[in-house]
Structures are given as structure tokens and as C-alpha cells.
Amino acid sequence: QLPEFDQQVLHIFENWEDSKILELWNKLNQRGNLKIATDGSVIENNGTFGIVISTQTGERLFKMGGSVQGRRPSSYRAELFGALVLSLLCNHIKSYLQSD
């Protein structure tokens, strides 16, 4: 069972098939061949983040966005929240694939 915070931000994978998760993981491990970007913004005290992972040729492998938790959000917090989610994504995919 994942911690509650991790469940909230990684719910996007609930309907992914194992083959799609494995494909993403394999492409993440191809060093130097990916473009990874995060972005964050705040409008009227609502923070949001976005993440995109693409190949050098522009094939989009993964994208996600969502709300940033916490009081008085800033664009810095929103950007770092996206980086945190990206880190959680990689960590949990690795753990999931090693558990099989």
C-alpha cells in the first residue's frame, strides 16, 4: 500500500498495463535520449504543475498535471512539486518492476 500522498499524485497509473509501465521505464533508462520538463504556476492562490517526458525526436512518452498542495502556493513551490512527482514516479515504477 502506497502512502496517501503518493496515491494522490500517482493515481494516473491505476489503469496502466504492465507493458506500458515497462516501456516507459525502459525508455527512462536510455541515458541521454529523453527530454524531461516540469512547470508550475499560480493563479488566484491555486497552484498547478505539469510534467512532460519526450524522446529527442518529440515522441511524448508521458504527461501529467495537477494541483499543488499547501497554503500560499508560489510558482517555485508548484515547479518543485512537479519535480517531486517526477521523482516519485521513477521511484515507484522501479519498486513496482522489482517486486515482480
Side-chain angles (χ1 to χ4, degrees), residues 5-6 10-11 17 20 23 31 33 35 37 48 50 52-53 59-60 65 69 72 76 78-80 84 87-88 90:
F5 175 79
D6 296 23
L10 297 177
H11 64 87
E17 295 179 13
K20 188 173 180 182
E23 177 185 1
R31 301 191 195 302
N33 294 325
K35 293 181 179 184
T48 59
V52 175
I53 302 173
E59 175 192 1
R60 186 170 294 151
Q69 299 178 3
R72 290 181 276 155
Y76 298 115
E79 178 95 22
L80 288 172
L84 171 64
S87 177
L88 286 172
C90 293

Side-chain angles (χ1 to χ4, degrees), residues 10-17 21 24 62 64 89 93:
L10 297 177
H11 64 87
I12 192 169
F13 292 104
E14 289 175 346
N15 297 318
W16 279 38
E17 295 179 13
I21 294 171
L24 176 59
F62 178 79
M64 119 177 247
L89 163 74
I93 289 175

